Amino acid sequence: QVQLVESGGGLVQAGGSLRLSCAASRLTFSNYAMAWFRQAPGKERERVASISRSGGSTYYADSVKGRFTISRENAKNTVYLQMNSLKPEDTAVYYCAARWGSNWSPGPYDWGQGTQVTVSS
């Protein structure tokens, strides 16, 4: 059973930064594409960013392009999401997800438990 544990969420003022981390275990991390999703109250879960298993290919939702950066350290079994210039509309629970294969593709996925990010105006 793949285990994903997110950390780094919290309360930040608009314009601030946070870095989320997702530590993965019980998998061969370098065989998995990874992604960050978020879900705000009353909204559907959406993919924010994803990264190929090599780290050579990334995807960003239009709403976060130029502000968020996804990266990974395969030696540490960890994926990160650096979030800069945060906006109140970035407030959500952020989830880490894993998908076996080279690049992100439709599920099924393994999920973390989520970490809350709250951006105050």
Side-chain angles (χ1 to χ4, degrees), residues 70-90:
I70 189 170
S71 62
R72 65 189 294 159
E73 286 191 73
N74 285 353
K76 294 185 177 182
N77 284 12
T78 302
V79 62
Y80 305 97
L81 186 68
Q82 177 66 44
M83 305 186 295
N84 298 328
S85 302
L86 283 161
K87 304 175 181 180
E89 51 264 43
D90 295 318

Side-chain angles (χ1 to χ4, degrees), residues 13-34:
Q13 288 188 333
S17 298
L18 284 174
R19 189 174 84 152
L20 305 183
S21 299
C22 172
S25 58
R26 302 177 186 172
L27 78 169
T28 302
F29 186 69
S30 59
N31 285 345
Y32 284 73
M34 301 296 295

